[in-house]
Amino acid sequence: MAEIYYLDNNATTRTDPAVIEAMAPYFGEKYFNASSIYSSAQYVRKDIEAAREEAAKFINADPKEVIFTSGGTESDNFAIKGIAYANSDKGRHIITSKIEHPAVLETCRYLEKNGWEITYLNVDKYGMVSPDELKKAIRKDTVLISIMYANNEIGTIEPIEEIGAIAREAGIYFHTDAVQVAGKIPIDVKKLNVDMLSLAAHKFHGPKGIGLFYLKKGVRIHSISQGGHQERSKRSGTENVPAIIGMAKACEIAGEHLKDTAGMAEIKALRDALEKGLLEKIPDIIINGHPEKRIDNTLNVCVKHIEGEAMLIHLDFDGICVSSGSACASGSLEPSHVLLALGLPHEIAHGSIRFSFSKYNTAADVKKVLEVMPGIVEKLRKMSPMWNERDKK
Amino acid sequence: MLQYSEKVIKQFRDMTNNGRIENADGVGKVGNPVCGDVMWIYIKVKDDIITDCKFETFGCVAAIATSSLATELVIGKSVEEALQVSNKRIVDLLGGLPVEKHHCSVLAEDGIKKAIEDYRSRVKK
């Protein structure tokens, strides 16, 4: 296979070999159902509980506050529907933002069709939610605030601690989708004032199909599934043991990596080098997201007068894997809702490309992009009427 | 992300006829930047035969592949024959397009028709 330059780590990450190794026995000799009573199965139960402790440590929670789910989408659904259904006697109003992940936005829209009212907060040009606007949106019947920790497309980090304090003071439950933050910033649920938090293991070198839902003690919530008694009856279903063990290993490794300041700085240095290089080599581009309050691995660029998917496929010809927020890449006719919420015009939002790094990237990845990207942009611009007519307006 | 046929990717990769024709006999401008695709089709006509055709496109892989193929299809054809090139034929020759992308092939057909319309209106004058 030709060489791959993987720069799409906000989509998913490569599973750490140590994670795969940790999981392997649970596909083999440790296949038991943890709910069975015989001793072989009880060893598996113990391993699951040790994994829960490891996962809890990763976000500074009590192990009893950790529920294993299938990933970010399920955790987001759990938080929003679970709170809405359990607290409908108190009110049917939810506050979220316009730049949330579809797992939050579509769940809110689903509730909207079923009698709930949703406030979708605007963001500024950097993608920041305003705590003041949030305060103004709070009503007597508001039961939930759900704001993401960091945005998946542009990387902007929201003022979660501040929002959490506002929610707590108003006595409203607060959920944050922290999927893009795990392994990039240390997460401390106590400091953040959150009642619920969503994580997905595959975003930090863990396996796919497993996630974590932090549920603070005492929160009034409905179960996400009915059935057995697993996960304190909040999320029934036989535990996905290999994935749980794998996620715990990923938490342990990510926790260590977060303490390795040199390792973390290297990811930021690569991202910054790419940003600087692109700005130097390609005219008329825009860097999206907050200049400082941005997760260190994410670079989102709009290249004016050309379209993102065409760029993406050309990069793919060179083995470079990236994402785009263009309509075509999203499978709809609308470009990214996040870029539109920043106030970018449609024609510019169509030209977006996202590069996202991980610990597995090297300077060779940056070098390759800087080698081929200017030529791709030039080629596509040369045949774009928008580019050729740009000075005539 | 949409799945493209190998033919679409090949047409996109090896595209021909991109660029503009100075002193074209007809130009067809279709699409809208807000929707993410704009196609300008240029034709050169001699003795009622399309002798050259080029395109400029702002758009996705499907938009570029369909405009490129449309230009190939009309070169050498009479104006009347070129009007018969349908979006369906373009889609078929590309081995199919994702449903969301069919409008790109319609745009290519419209671009050719508009260019011919423009040519005919100039000839009348």
Side-chain angles (χ1 to χ4, degrees):
Chain A
M1 207 161 86
E3 186 130 21
I4 289 288
Y5 304 87
Y6 187 74
L7 288 163
D8 200 16
N9 288 282
N10 286 9
T12 197
T13 56
R14 181 176 194 144
T15 313
D16 194 302
V19 169
I20 301 171
E21 199 185 323
M23 292 169 75
Y26 298 88
F27 292 109
E29 70 267 29
K30 297 183 179 179
Y31 58 85
F32 308 98
N33 186 326
S35 298
S36 299
I37 296 172
Y38 32 83
S39 55
S40 308
Q42 285 308 301
Y43 288 124
V44 173
R45 164 64 52 208
K46 264 170 102 182
D47 294 346
I48 290 179
E49 293 318 312
R52 197 184 306 280
E53 267 179 46
E54 190 67 54
K57 201 172 87 186
F58 186 54
I59 57 171
N60 193 28
D62 187 295
K64 288 199 185 76
E65 297 173 319
V66 166
I67 294 174
F68 294 123
T69 65
S70 63
T73 296
E74 186 188 330
S75 294
D76 288 344
N77 269 265
F78 195 168
I80 295 164
K81 287 185 210 158
I83 292 293
Y85 294 154
N87 297 277
S88 59
D89 56 332
K90 277 199 263 173
R92 288 180 163 230
H93 178 239
I94 294 170
I95 302 171
T96 186
S97 84
K98 285 190 178 161
I99 63 163
E100 297 300 310
H101 189 275
V104 167
L105 280 182
E106 292 305 319
T107 308
C108 285
R109 287 197 189 115
Y110 164 82
L111 287 174
E112 215 168 10
K113 282 183 200 145
N114 287 280
W116 275 265
E117 278 181 75
I118 316 286
T119 299
Y120 300 94
L121 294 174
N122 287 314
V123 293
D124 68 12
K125 63 178 177 176
Y126 298 126
M128 290 289 259
V129 169
S130 150
D132 282 336
E133 261 193 53
L134 172 85
K135 261 189 211 168
K136 281 182 215 151
I138 292 174
R139 312 192 320 207
K140 268 189 188 153
D141 60 344
T142 307
V143 290
L144 175 69
I145 296 168
S146 179
I147 303 289
M148 69 200 328
Y149 198 158
N151 183 269
N152 47 312
E153 291 187 32
I154 56 174
T156 297
I157 302 167
E158 302 298 340
I160 294 304
E161 215 176 310
E162 207 179 335
I163 293 169
I166 294 167
R168 189 138 301 175
E169 203 191 313
I172 299 165
Y173 289 133
F174 178 39
H175 163 253
T176 190
D177 176 332
V179 165
Q180 288 299 342
V181 171
K184 295 163 192 164
I185 312 171
I187 299 174
D188 182 337
V189 290
K190 294 195 174 79
K191 208 173 135 206
L192 291 174
N193 296 310
V194 294
D195 298 298
M196 290 155 284
L197 179 141
S198 307
L199 285 192
H202 73 102
K203 305 284 192 191
F204 55 100
H205 307 289
K208 293 167 185 67
I210 184 79
L212 176 160
F213 181 54
Y214 162 74
L215 179 64
K216 195 180 152 73
K217 263 175 241 151
V219 170
R220 205 165 104 185
I221 195 163
H222 266 202
S223 310
I224 187 85
S225 60
Q226 280 71 42
H229 52 85
Q230 293 90 349
E231 301 303 288
R232 291 180 293 125
S233 299
K234 291 282 191 287
R235 199 264 188 183
S236 297
T238 300
E239 295 89 346
N240 184 353
V241 186
I244 289 170
I245 302 296
M247 178 163 72
K249 191 70 190 174
C251 287
E252 184 196 326
I253 296 168
E256 286 304 313
H257 193 240
L258 281 165
K259 286 182 210 153
D260 167 17
T261 40
M264 296 306 289
E266 203 184 313
I267 295 173
K268 183 177 190 301
L270 290 175
R271 192 271 314 264
D272 290 349
L274 181 60
E275 180 172 323
K276 191 167 165 273
L278 291 177
L279 283 167
E280 278 169 9
K281 288 178 180 241
I282 305 174
D284 275 331
I285 63 171
I286 300 170
I287 306 294
N288 297 309
H290 198 281
E292 288 103 36
K293 290 170 188 160
R294 178 160 49 124
I295 39 177
D296 289 341
N297 79 320
T298 303
L299 174 61
N300 188 304
V301 185
C302 279
V303 182
K304 286 190 190 171
H305 311 296
I306 55 176
E307 197 272 344
E309 190 202 56
M311 266 186 287
L312 186 155
I313 298 293
H314 270 299
L315 289 166
D316 185 34
F317 292 153
D318 284 304
I320 300 167
C321 308
V322 297
S323 281
S324 168
S326 73
C328 301
S330 69
S332 71
L333 293 179
E334 278 285 296
S336 146
H337 67 286
V338 176
L339 298 178
L340 293 181
L342 303 182
L344 290 175
H346 278 68
E347 58 268 35
I348 290 179
H350 282 299
S352 85
I353 284 282
R354 180 190 69 188
F355 303 92
S356 48
F357 292 80
S358 82
K359 64 178 179 181
Y360 291 132
N361 288 113
T362 66
D365 298 314
V366 174
K367 189 168 165 258
K368 179 74 180 177
V369 176
L370 291 177
E371 255 168 40
V372 303
M373 180 100 170
I376 291 170
V377 171
E378 203 190 325
K379 180 176 172 149
L380 289 171
R381 275 181 171 168
K382 233 173 142 178
M383 56 181 282
S384 162
M386 317 301 299
W387 173 255
N388 295 333
E389 294 291 304
R390 72 196 183 283
D391 296 328
K392 296 186 185 166
K393 278 179 187 168
Chain B
M1 186 69 206
L2 300 160
Q3 296 289 316
Y4 288 119
S5 71
E6 274 175 36
K7 281 184 185 166
V8 174
I9 294 292
K10 193 174 180 310
Q11 184 78 37
F12 173 71
R13 189 203 284 253
D14 308 332
M15 68 186 155
T16 49
N17 303 328
N18 51 305
R20 64 170 59 177
I21 300 177
E22 302 299 341
N23 309 316
D25 297 316
V27 184
K29 297 182 178 181
V30 291
N32 182 336
V34 172
C35 306
D37 30 36
V38 176
M39 280 181 206
W40 291 7
I41 307 275
Y42 301 82
I43 52 170
K44 247 339 209 187
V45 184
K46 200 182 174 198
D47 301 331
D48 205 45
I49 300 288
I50 296 177
T51 55
D52 198 7
C53 181
K54 284 192 187 299
F55 73 95
E56 288 183 301
T57 294
F58 160 79
C60 63
V61 170
I64 291 170
T66 52
S67 22
S68 169
L69 180 64
T71 59
E72 285 178 19
L73 288 176
V74 299
I75 292 175
K77 285 204 167 70
S78 72
V79 167
E80 204 47 52
E81 281 168 344
L83 284 171
Q84 306 307 315
V85 172
S86 68
N87 74 298
K88 191 178 171 303
R89 178 153 164 71
I90 295 171
V91 173
D92 287 348
L93 283 171
L94 286 172
L97 273 180
V99 179
E100 299 88 337
K101 295 290 174 183
H102 275 212
H103 72 276
C104 294
S105 62
V106 176
L107 216 50
E109 180 191 322
D110 289 351
I112 298 285
K113 287 198 169 131
K114 272 241 169 135
I116 292 172
E117 213 175 278
D118 182 44
Y119 159 71
R120 281 183 169 166
S121 73
R122 292 188 202 188
V123 172
K124 270 182 201 161
K125 284 172 198 167

